[in-house]
Every structure is written in C-alpha cells, then in structure tokens.
Amino acid sequence: MPNKVEFIWKDHELYDIKFDGETVCTLYKTNQGYWTLRSDSSLDSEIETILVESLVSDYWELLSEAKIAIRRALKSYSR
C-alpha cells in the first residue's frame, strides 16, 4: 500500500501535513515568501523525502489553480 500524504488547511498559507494519518509537520509560508516545513520532532529522512516529492506533485498545481480561481471569484464578487 502506498504512503498517503495529506495537506490539511489550517489558516492562510498554513497546512498540517499528515503522513499515513499521523500529523508529522506543518507547512507554512515565511515572511520572505518561501514555503517551509516545521516539525516538533526531527523528521525521518524517508518521510522527509516523500513529503518533498509530494510538494512538487500535481497536488500543488491543482492548489495553485484553485487559489487563482478563488481570487478571480472574490474579485468579481466584490465589484
């Protein structure tokens, strides 16, 4: 069975990352505009590799497209 990585939205540009159902770290955007991972304990190198690989997956393309669509909808709504 493949490992399951989930990104659970918590707040603006802040996500909990779950690995096989267990929260392993938080993904957030720094003040400099870079995405970074934060964990209360050190991440296993295998888990870290899987997470980094998932960050460049189709999921992020879909998330980016969704954010653009949401921005457009909000702009048209506020007119």
Side-chain angles (χ1 to χ4, degrees):
M1 182 171 143
N3 301 109
K4 183 176 181 184
V5 177
E6 298 174 275
F7 297 85
I8 311 299
W9 180 81
K10 286 186 73 176
D11 199 358
H12 178 72
E13 297 178 334
L14 177 67
Y15 298 83
D16 275 345
I17 299 180
K18 292 188 174 205
F19 182 73
D20 289 342
E22 180 183 337
T23 301
V24 292
C25 62
T26 302
L27 175 71
Y28 66 98
K29 196 176 254 188
T30 65
N31 292 334
Q32 294 79 24
Y34 297 104
W35 287 100
T36 190
L37 298 173
R38 178 180 62 219
S39 176
D40 292 336
S41 58
S42 63
L43 291 175
D44 176 283
S45 62
E46 183 181 354
I47 292 175
E48 190 170 3
T49 299
I50 291 169
L51 292 176
V52 169
E53 287 173 358
S54 71
L55 292 175
V56 294
S57 69
D58 293 339
Y59 174 84
W60 290 104
E61 279 186 42
L62 293 173
L63 180 61
S64 178
E65 289 172 17
K67 284 183 173 182
I68 290 168
I70 290 167
R71 270 191 223 109
R72 285 182 185 149
L74 287 172
K75 284 180 182 177
S76 67
Y77 179 75
S78 63
R79 289 182 185 165

